[in-house]
Amino acid sequence: MRIRMMISTIVILGMTLSCSISGKAASKPYPYMINPFLTNVDVLLDVGHGGIDSGTLHGDVYEKDINLEMGKVTYSLLREKGLRVLLNRLDDYALSSENLWFRNRSRHLKDLAQRSHLANEIHPKIVISLHVNWATNSKARGPVVLHQKSDASKQLATSLQRSLNLLYATETAPVYGKTYFLLKHIQVPAVIVEMGFISNAQDREQMMQPQKQRQLADAICAGILTYLQK
């Protein structure tokens, strides 16, 4: 089989780094030697959607943009606290375009496969996937954290949910995300953080107003630190 290349651009310790990754054009990429700069990573922030994939929306407000901005703010705060942090999306583009190894016509699955493969190759302590929720009922609000089957992922989700519940004055419990591709395929403790409902005016303000974005990122950081310190 012909060897193909895929380029993954990520942020590492405040610098932009492009890593060339070799892979077979098969269901899984060929193993490669991990760049030494990508070892001992504490947190990989998975910035949901991007490019042609806007995620959910409300008018001209797109989930992909909220995810990116919150990813950047959360990245900065975690770095300030001394953690080794990576972002897997730096701008408005789809990660599916970087995936040349996954033989499937679904752009959505190629995107998810690229995200999970990157997480498994870097092997951070935890993966936090940032997303935004939506509901037909505009009164639905608040954060929801989805976890893997493992105890470690559930503990991470519980820590984040408690921290976010304090910010939103909610009493939501974390949820087992049994059907979610990322949670099934990432091999380290991972969670999906639905930061709020784009369909709710109060939640939109929390996720979009700069000062409140900082509060939201602080809550996410607090949940992460509580888990890592345990």
Side-chain angles (χ1 to χ4, degrees):
M1 291 178 132
R2 297 173 64 184
I3 300 295
R4 299 189 179 185
M5 304 296 293
M6 64 183 178
I7 308 299
S8 294
T9 305
I10 56 179
V11 172
I12 177 170
L13 304 182
M15 300 179 293
T16 301
L17 176 65
S18 294
C19 304
S20 296
I21 302 173
S22 300
K24 285 185 178 179
S27 59
K28 290 185 179 181
Y30 189 82
Y32 67 93
M33 185 176 294
I34 296 177
N35 188 307
F37 289 107
L38 301 184
T39 59
N40 300 317
V41 174
D42 294 310
V43 183
L44 172 61
L45 293 175
D46 173 60
V47 182
H49 306 285
I52 192 172
D53 181 7
S54 68
T56 191
L57 72 158
H58 179 84
D60 60 353
V61 178
Y62 298 101
E63 176 187 357
K64 64 176 183 177
D65 298 327
I66 295 175
N67 294 342
L68 181 59
E69 187 59 31
M70 283 304 306
K72 291 177 178 178
V73 176
T74 305
Y75 169 84
S76 296
L77 289 179
L78 289 171
R79 289 272 294 124
E80 289 176 9
K81 299 179 185 300
L83 297 183
R84 299 181 182 88
V85 191
L86 301 182
L87 279 172
N88 66 359
R89 180 163 72 84
L90 310 176
D91 210 334
D92 183 18
Y93 53 84
L95 269 66
S96 57
S97 62
E98 299 176 353
N99 189 332
L100 303 179
W101 57 270
F102 189 62
R103 286 187 176 273
N104 193 294
R105 293 184 178 181
S106 170
R107 179 203 51 76
H108 180 60
L109 284 179
K110 287 172 73 72
D111 180 88
L112 293 174
Q114 182 74 358
R115 294 171 185 275
S116 58
H117 170 60
L118 180 61
N120 291 334
E121 293 295 343
I122 293 172
H123 208 78
K125 291 179 181 176
I126 59 173
V127 175
I128 308 295
S129 186
L130 299 176
H131 287 268
V132 175
N133 223 332
W134 180 90
T136 54
N137 182 1
S138 62
K139 293 183 179 179
R141 61 175 297 272
V144 180
V145 184
L146 299 108
H147 61 84
Q148 299 161 308
K149 188 176 182 179
S150 72
D151 289 339
S153 176
K154 187 174 182 179
Q155 290 171 13
L156 174 60
T158 299
S159 180
L160 283 159
Q161 189 73 65
R162 286 174 178 170
S163 182
L164 289 165
N165 281 345
L166 288 174
L167 176 65
Y168 279 82
T170 53
E171 297 180 354
T172 308
V175 177
Y176 172 32
K178 182 178 180 179
T179 62
Y180 287 78
F181 185 101
L182 279 181
L183 298 181
K184 288 194 294 183
H185 290 85
I186 292 179
Q187 298 165 4
V188 299
V191 295
I192 294 173
V193 180
E194 298 281 1
M195 297 178 286
F197 284 80
I198 201 170
S199 46
N200 179 271
Q202 188 176 350
D203 281 10
R204 282 198 307 277
E205 182 180 2
Q206 182 70 67
M207 295 185 291
M208 295 179 66
Q209 201 273 337
Q211 184 176 355
K212 292 193 173 186
Q213 284 179 332
R214 170 79 185 222
Q215 295 173 350
L216 179 53
D218 271 330
I220 294 171
C221 291
I224 290 172
L225 287 171
T226 297
Y227 171 81
L228 291 177
Q229 288 168 358
K230 287 182 179 180

